[in-house]
């Protein structure tokens, strides 16, 4: 991706200066980071195993200035996060693709996207209430309205679930929008240039084959 | 994501045994890995910097048993990949989300997805012809038909572009399909269960504001 029209922003939840401009920027950046995170539910979580990087897709949710991911207590990275002191170094990246940018020149082809990259030390969450809230947030992140419309985890399920937290201390957003950035000398070339918009769409809900299959499709699915 | 109905497969491009079954499985797995990779163009590339993981979104393409990514020669990971011997440890992950799986129980909520995870040592590509082929493949991966319908990179642009290769030696695919896997005792609960399909869609091409704006929209965009 070329970055000529992208903007990168970084914030710390604690403003680093007391100047008005820094406060404004902090506020703006935080809202941007939150908006990008809240639109998604699938992140790519990276960690280091035996000196080599590993990156896996997983569900996440944001609650305030914290990101949560969950998984089986039997999964190695989550187990390691529980043991590591002062925490397991991770990187969590969330990316939304908004368009394919076609320029006159191959070199200037790009993607319109919004991404957030968060670095830090992941910790296992052991507080019962925080675990419950995080699991609800992950379900709500995938399907808003669903946490209250499903059976919540029982003690056995909770015991099998690891919840890991990453505080949003070191986080940045990067956004590319707009059309291609072609060289002036390329503008007359006879190649179409512009943007092909990309979006995620949700189809018609497919009910499971089960005894209660006559359960009406909830509004939070059809409205999506 | 629960993994109860997911399947994971791993292959080495060189079959490890000469048994018929191993050959068949190798063939099947390779096709699955290739199909998942070829459907996408955005990967998440992870590497280790100062002992901590970093994962960034970037474009990629597959050519045979090799993955290529590109970027500015000024970007640090790509520069490091050029210097590192015997190569820079990376992990490349490609994920397609196909559906949201809503179960009776929050615990059994999941995502239908197809992902490929490739590990190995990344190398800078220095061979001129291989670089050109990789750059064409990346453009074609984003918009099939576009490499021949745009201006290819000139020497100055080529000099500013780093191309990095990862051989598909250690690669695995993971796929989850189908409906929720609920517990028998949950089946009568009055919550809708099933799958909400998810797909990427491409909208109406938006032409750039430029002198040749009357260039017709190419068929490879409208057919998408």
């Amino acid at each position: 991706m070329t970055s000529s029209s992208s903007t990168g922003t970084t914030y710390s939840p604690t403003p680093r200066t007391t100047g008005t401009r820094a406060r404004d920027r902090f506020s703006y950046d935080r809202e941007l980071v939150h908006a990008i995170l809240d639109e998604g539910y699938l992140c790519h979580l990276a960690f280091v195993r035996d000196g080599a990087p590993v990156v896996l897709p997983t569900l996440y949710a944001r609650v305030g200035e914290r990101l949560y991911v969950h998984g089986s207590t039997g999964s190695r990275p989550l187990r390691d996060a529980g043991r590591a002191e002062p925490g397991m170094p991770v990187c969590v990246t969330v990316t939304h693709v908004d368009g394919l940018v076609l320029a006159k020149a191959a070199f200037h082809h790009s993607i319109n996207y919004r991404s957030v990259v968060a670095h830090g030390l992941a910790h296992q969450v052991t507080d019962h209430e925080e675990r419950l809230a995080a699991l609800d947030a992950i379900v709500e992140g995938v399907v808003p309205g669903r946490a209250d419309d499903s059976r919540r985890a029982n003690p056995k399920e909770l015991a099998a679930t690891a919840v890991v937290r990453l505080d949003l201390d070191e986080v940045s957003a990067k956004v590319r929008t707009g059309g291609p950035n072609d060289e002036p000398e390329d503008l007359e070339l006879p190649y179409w240039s512009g943007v092909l918009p990309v979006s995620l769409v949700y189809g018609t809900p497919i009910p499971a084959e089960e005894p209660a299959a006559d359960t009406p499709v909830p509004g939070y699915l059809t409205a999506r």
Side-chain angles (χ1 to χ4, degrees), chain A residues 41-43 45 56-61 67-75 77-79 92 123-125 130-140 142 153 157-158 160-166:
Chain A
Y41 42 81
L42 185 88
C43 67
L45 168 72
L56 299 174
T58 194
L59 299 176
Y60 74 93
L67 280 190
Y68 293 97
V69 300
H70 74 330
S72 160
T73 50
S75 82
L78 295 176
R79 215 167 55 217
V92 173
H123 298 90
Q124 273 223 35
V125 178
E130 186 179 357
R131 279 165 52 83
L132 295 181
L135 294 175
D136 270 6
I138 291 171
V139 169
E140 286 287 303
V142 179
E157 292 167 344
L158 281 175
T161 304
V163 176
V164 169
R165 182 183 80 219
L166 172 65

Side-chain angles (χ1 to χ4, degrees), chain A residues 104-128:
Chain A
K104 301 281 186 179
F107 182 77
H108 287 295
H109 279 59
S110 189
I111 297 277
N112 280 341
Y113 68 103
R114 290 162 294 140
S115 68
V116 163
V117 177
H119 298 267
L121 298 171
H123 298 90
Q124 273 223 35
V125 178
T126 53
D127 179 80
H128 183 66

Side-chain angles (χ1 to χ4, degrees), chain A residues 23-127:
Chain A
R23 276 175 195 261
D24 288 351
R25 169 154 181 186
F26 155 68
S27 168
Y28 167 75
D29 293 350
R30 181 171 62 181
E31 283 171 17
L32 176 64
V33 166
H34 288 182
I36 292 170
L37 291 175
D38 293 354
E39 186 176 320
Y41 42 81
L42 185 88
C43 67
H44 281 80
L45 168 72
F47 53 94
V48 179
R49 181 157 64 193
D50 303 330
V54 179
V55 50
L56 299 174
T58 194
L59 299 176
Y60 74 93
R62 178 186 73 86
V63 178
E65 294 296 335
R66 292 172 167 180
L67 280 190
Y68 293 97
V69 300
H70 74 330
S72 160
T73 50
S75 82
R76 188 169 155 189
L78 295 176
R79 215 167 55 217
D80 289 351
R83 289 176 185 158
E85 276 298 334
M88 183 176 70
V90 299
C91 181
V92 173
T93 297
V94 173
T95 307
H96 307 304
V97 176
D98 297 321
L100 311 182
V101 182
L102 285 79
K104 301 281 186 179
F107 182 77
H108 287 295
H109 279 59
S110 189
I111 297 277
N112 280 341
Y113 68 103
R114 290 162 294 140
S115 68
V116 163
V117 177
H119 298 267
L121 298 171
H123 298 90
Q124 273 223 35
V125 178
T126 53
D127 179 80

